[in-house]
Amino acid sequence: MWKSAEETLAREIFRHAKESSDGEAIKDVRGNSKKATKVRIDVPWGHIAGKWWGPKNGRPILCIHGWQDNIGTFDTLIPLLPEEFGYLAIDLPGHGFSSPFPHGMSYTAYDYIWLIKRIQEIYEWEKISILCHSLGALITFVYAGLFPDKVEFVIALDALKPKIMPDIVDYLQTMLANVAIEDERNLNPSEPPSYTYDELVERLHIGTFKSISPEYCPYILSRGVRKSTKYPDKYYFNRDGRLKYLKHLLISQESCVILARRINIPYMYIRCEQSVVKFWEEEKYLLEVIEEMKNCNPLFVMHQVNGRHHVHLTNPTVVSASDNSHNFPIFAFFSVSRLAELMIILRQVLRAVGVRQISLARKMTTSVKPEANGLPDREVQEFTFSVPWGNVAGKWWGSRNTRPIICLHGWQDNAGSFDTLIPYLPPEYSYLALDLPGHGLSSRIPDGMLYSWVDISQSLRILADQEKWEKISIIAHSLSSLVGFSYSAYFPDKVDLMIGIDALKPHIRPPEKYIAMVQRGFEAFFLADKRNREHSEPPSYSFDDIVERLHKGTNGSVTKEACPYLLKRALAKSSTDPEKFYFTRDNRLKGFNFASFSQDIAIEMTKKIKCPYMFIKCTNSVYYEDKKYIEEIIQVFRENNPNFEYHKIEGKHHAHLNEPHKFSDLLSQFIRKHRAV
């Protein structure tokens, strides 16, 4: 039963279940109103939907909601906030009325961090101010730590930092296994399960651990459901099912602490006393970051308020203000005089410490034929398989009647990485060397998307499903060795053999180096994504110059003699100069989202790997992390996997390409021992 005017309004909003029309006035709990106009922000995969409250003649405060919520979460709070500010609340991709990600892509929190930067660039804001809740607060914390000079202030509601996940291996296994299922369901034209209005309210109320009381559920449901076409009195949730398996921010506590030290802007954290968020992780991790922010940032303030996780929606006066006394957290923080005072302090801080800034490929006409070095020729065929965003290409060596051993190359290489090695491997087996997404002749992922190891893992699952392989065998180099290690841990019953060349496990980097790497990656990704959509031809070079650039770009790891094996799948002829070529790989790869786990997690992953596993280290190549971490994992392998082998081979990082004969005996013996034909 509805008991008040605002509840009646909320139910009416829900009943229509459509976006606000221009000029619609949303009433707050005191009967006040503030006009909001709908906003549509075009992005490469569709659009971001939102509402803009208040003045349009200045930069608004960006409002970012929590996981599986939408901007309805701010409907009762924004009318209570200072009227001199504008507020732009957005539905994150896959939520509310915003477009979902393209088919075949998984949702990651890094994509949402990237979205903040995209919106800032679209509106040409030099700085951004953010009001955020839950997941929105976690991604904002990272963004503010990466780009403190781009952020004016932050108000974080009931979440501060990315959580430390002790069950990360099981979580990632579940995520990878189920996101493909949800993606397939999206392609199914059948309607999802539908519910009556009262059932929807109950599901949302219980699903949020009673954080959203029934009378406030309509604020979320008004943008979160669609009317059933089969049952006139029922509705179904419109959020993307893939969101249930969102890849969270997998960063270490040490990285969180360093991010906290870099945040030197006005930052308010409001913590709810009855929130389930306090059970997300051990309290010590949150308290350590709070203490760090208090010590390093004179502009950091924290308040505890009485209420549950969605108190800003269900009882917004607790976190805003009900009169002009300015005794409430957000109102005091928003005060124009207070902000002016904070900006003066901020400038003083900045002066004292400074701001630290941390077309699918076409084959080139010059054909390079792999040398067999006196070995018998093998049949080689081009191969492709479909993925939701296009095709993954590769080369199939040997009979198509047997399940091949899949060969996966390193970062910014391609299937040509195995052209000299495969002729040395046992001829009774087939081998499928793939171009990873965005590399070689494979399709790029959709515009606006970040590359990550998840894309590679998903491609492997799709390939195995299409070919009906119960298990796969893997030979992997560099980046793909890290993916193979992770895949073997997440799906131990799906891999029957794994050989990793010159990389063993996801690297553990010192937090300051990891943060700088992520920051540079975002910058490189943004520039490359923009250039991709301009469709302008990249810089072109003569073939000799291209060889020189590849040789030097790998620090001499790829010899000049071996360069053509990679270049034949990596170049296209210039349209302006027929004597020149340009690289066709997707430059967004420079911002590749590498996984970075703690050593404890890597140990847990190692213990889950069941298949015969060989690791080969090239002696003249770096370790990419402290050697002690590799040695510890090798020891864990030896204690837990009777079929683990560790070998060293003299050579640089691409020794398998430059000097394949050195690998022949080791790989042949291991394959014949553990893999049936």
Side-chain angles (χ1 to χ4, degrees):
M1 180 66 67
W2 296 90
K3 299 180 181 179
S4 63
E6 63 267 21
E7 292 173 349
T8 302
L9 171 64
R11 185 162 191 174
E12 186 63 23
I13 294 171
F14 163 76
R15 188 183 303 280
H16 291 290
K18 64 180 181 178
E19 211 166 357
S20 312
S21 61
D22 287 348
E24 175 194 5
I26 304 296
K27 293 183 179 179
D28 66 28
V29 292
R30 296 174 298 159
N32 295 329
S33 65
K34 184 180 291 187
K35 287 187 177 181
T37 57
K38 64 182 179 181
V39 172
R40 176 190 172 105
I41 304 170
D42 290 332
V43 289
W45 62 89
H47 71 275
I48 299 297
K51 292 194 292 189
W52 190 309
W53 310 67
K56 294 290 202 320
N57 57 353
R59 173 169 56 85
I61 292 157
L62 183 67
C63 304
I64 307 175
H65 63 77
W67 180 52
Q68 299 200 82
D69 285 352
N70 55 59
I71 61 177
T73 193
F74 296 109
D75 275 358
T76 62
L77 174 62
I78 290 177
L80 300 178
L81 300 181
E83 295 183 355
E84 61 266 30
F85 295 93
Y87 304 87
L88 173 57
I90 60 167
D91 291 327
L92 293 174
H95 299 74
F97 296 142
S98 287
S99 300
F101 277 171
H103 292 304
M105 307 305 299
S106 59
Y107 288 88
T108 78
Y110 285 100
D111 290 300
Y112 291 159
I113 296 173
W114 156 239
L115 181 64
I116 298 175
K117 185 167 179 59
R118 177 181 288 278
I119 290 175
Q120 190 167 1
E121 294 286 344
I122 288 173
Y123 284 101
E124 298 181 346
W125 297 329
E126 290 188 8
K127 289 185 180 290
I128 193 168
S129 306
I130 303 177
L131 169 65
C132 45
H133 173 240
S134 196
L135 170 64
L138 306 186
I139 63 176
T140 297
F141 174 85
V142 177
Y143 188 81
L146 292 174
F147 308 107
D149 58 322
K150 299 290 187 183
V151 184
E152 183 181 37
F153 67 81
V154 172
I155 299 173
L157 302 173
D158 205 36
L160 180 62
K161 57 171 285 293
K163 64 179 179 178
I164 306 303
M165 303 176 66
D167 57 344
I168 189 172
V169 177
D170 293 335
Y171 154 71
L172 288 172
Q173 183 180 24
T174 301
M175 183 203 80
L176 287 169
N178 288 282
V179 70
I181 296 174
E182 292 295 336
D183 190 56
E184 187 173 341
R185 286 176 179 167
N186 287 346
L187 295 171
N188 190 330
S190 62
E191 188 175 284
S194 56
Y195 309 92
T196 66
Y197 170 74
D198 291 335
E199 289 172 339
L200 282 176
V201 169
E202 182 68 12
R203 291 180 74 87
L204 183 58
H205 175 57
I206 299 300
T208 59
F209 300 95
K210 301 183 178 180
S211 173
I212 304 179
S213 51
E215 61 268 29
Y216 285 92
C217 286
Y219 289 101
I220 300 295
L221 294 176
S222 64
R223 298 176 75 88
V225 299
R226 290 196 181 107
K227 202 171 183 65
S228 171
T229 58
K230 297 190 293 186
Y231 309 102
D233 295 325
K234 289 189 176 184
Y235 307 83
Y236 61 89
F237 287 102
N238 65 0
R239 62 196 175 209
D240 193 334
R242 289 173 290 177
L243 288 168
K244 290 184 288 186
Y245 307 105
L246 173 82
K247 182 190 170 194
H248 290 281
L249 294 162
L250 308 178
I251 62 177
S252 67
Q253 176 69 0
E254 293 79 8
S255 295
C256 289
V257 170
I258 288 181
L259 286 169
R261 290 174 189 161
R262 290 171 54 87
I263 297 174
N264 47 21
I265 58 173
Y267 207 107
M268 172 182 281
Y269 168 43
I270 298 178
R271 191 180 190 193
C272 301
E273 293 176 353
Q274 287 82 45
S275 174
V276 295
V277 171
K278 63 177 64 178
F279 303 112
W280 281 6
E281 63 177 353
E282 291 186 50
E283 181 84 351
K284 65 179 181 180
Y285 296 126
L286 175 61
L287 295 178
E288 183 181 12
V289 169
I290 291 173
E291 193 63 27
E292 197 68 36
M293 295 187 78
K294 286 180 177 178
N295 292 335
C296 299
N297 186 357
L299 310 177
F300 174 76
V301 291
M302 174 181 169
H303 295 275
Q304 294 206 70
V305 298
N306 182 36
R308 295 177 183 267
H309 187 49
H310 287 80
V311 69
H312 65 285
L313 170 65
T314 60
N315 191 9
T317 57
V318 169
V319 295
S320 58
S322 59
D323 52 38
N324 293 326
S325 65
H326 292 196
N327 291 327
F328 296 83
I330 290 183
F331 201 101
F333 191 77
F334 267 113
S335 167
V336 176
S337 60
R338 172 62 176 155
L339 283 177
E341 176 188 346
L342 291 174
M343 289 302 103
I344 292 172
I345 297 173
L346 174 59
R347 285 193 291 270
Q348 292 172 345
V349 171
L350 293 178
R351 281 196 296 269
V353 302
V355 179
R356 296 176 177 85
Q357 182 69 3
I358 317 234
S359 91
L360 293 179
R362 299 190 298 270
K363 288 185 180 179
M364 52 185 286
T365 55
T366 304
S367 176
V368 180
K369 183 179 179 181
E371 297 178 9
N373 298 296
L375 299 171
D377 288 336
R378 299 193 189 185
E379 181 183 3
V380 183
Q381 304 175 53
E382 285 293 326
F383 172 84
T384 61
F385 67 94
S386 298
V387 289
W389 62 88
N391 295 291
V392 171
K395 299 171 68 174
W396 191 305
W397 304 68
S399 172
R400 293 291 294 269
N401 296 323
T402 60
R403 175 168 62 89
I405 296 172
I406 299 174
C407 303
L408 303 174
H409 61 79
W411 182 50
Q412 300 197 83
D413 289 348
N414 54 59
S417 179
F418 297 97
D419 276 1
T420 62
L421 175 63
I422 291 176
Y424 281 93
L425 301 182
E428 62 267 31
Y429 299 90
S430 296
Y431 304 87
L432 174 57
L434 296 177
D435 293 326
L436 302 183
H439 299 74
L441 306 183
S442 288
S443 300
R444 299 176 175 187
I445 62 174
D447 286 343
M449 300 284 101
L450 282 161
Y451 283 94
S452 79
W453 58 272
V454 176
D455 305 316
I456 307 173
S457 298
Q458 289 297 94
S459 296
L460 291 176
R461 289 296 300 269
I462 291 171
L463 173 61
D465 288 344
Q466 289 184 7
E467 298 293 331
K468 296 181 171 53
W469 296 330
E470 292 187 4
K471 294 179 181 288
I472 60 174
S473 308
I474 303 173
I475 299 176
H477 173 240
S478 193
L479 163 68
S480 289
S481 294
L482 312 185
V483 175
F485 173 89
S486 302
Y487 195 93
S488 300
Y490 302 143
F491 307 112
D493 296 324
K494 299 293 185 182
V495 183
D496 63 5
L497 180 146
M498 169 65 196
I499 298 172
I501 299 174
D502 208 38
L504 178 59
K505 52 175 278 294
H507 308 314
I508 295 176
R509 295 178 174 89
E512 62 277 5
K513 290 187 177 180
Y514 178 71
I515 290 168
M517 183 190 75
V518 173
Q519 184 183 36
R520 289 193 301 270
F522 272 118
E523 296 285 8
F525 172 80
F526 181 82
L527 180 61
D529 188 60
K530 182 179 179 181
R531 287 176 175 171
N532 283 354
R533 286 178 280 115
E534 291 172 350
H535 301 292
S536 57
E537 184 176 292
S540 57
Y541 311 91
S542 70
F543 184 74
D544 289 341
D545 287 341
I546 287 269
V547 168
E548 187 68 21
R549 293 180 72 87
L550 179 58
H551 175 62
K552 288 185 176 179
T554 60
N555 296 315
S557 173
V558 181
T559 63
K560 292 183 180 180
E561 294 76 19
C563 283
Y565 292 107
L566 294 176
L567 293 177
K568 68 184 179 212
R569 299 178 76 85
L571 299 183
K573 273 193 172 183
S574 171
S575 60
T576 59
D577 187 339
E579 299 300 321
K580 290 188 176 182
F581 306 87
Y582 61 86
F583 286 102
T584 56
R585 64 194 176 209
D586 192 341
N587 277 330
R588 285 179 292 171
L589 291 165
K590 295 177 181 177
F592 193 93
N593 180 13
F594 290 91
S596 182
F597 304 139
S598 71
Q599 184 69 353
D600 289 342
I601 292 170
I603 290 173
E604 183 183 351
M605 294 170 72
T606 305
K607 292 178 180 178
K608 288 180 175 288
I609 296 175
K610 301 176 181 179
C611 68
Y613 203 108
M614 174 186 281
F615 170 47
I616 299 175
K617 183 73 186 82
C618 299
T619 58
N620 299 328
S621 175
V622 298
Y623 276 87
Y624 301 100
E625 64 179 332
D626 194 315
K627 185 179 178 181
K628 67 181 181 183
Y629 297 127
I630 300 293
E631 292 175 339
E632 184 175 15
I633 294 300
I634 290 173
Q635 186 59 35
V636 174
F637 259 124
R638 286 172 170 163
E639 293 171 356
N640 292 272
N641 190 332
N643 294 315
F644 173 74
E645 295 184 20
Y646 170 47
H647 302 277
K648 293 182 179 180
I649 287 181
E650 184 178 355
K652 294 189 175 183
H653 187 53
H654 287 81
H656 70 290
L657 172 63
N658 302 324
E659 304 168 289
H661 59 279
K662 293 183 177 180
F663 293 77
S664 176
D665 290 344
L666 282 177
L667 269 61
S668 296
Q669 291 172 13
F670 189 79
I671 292 170
R672 284 179 169 136
K673 179 179 179 181
H674 297 293
R675 165 69 197 268
V677 178

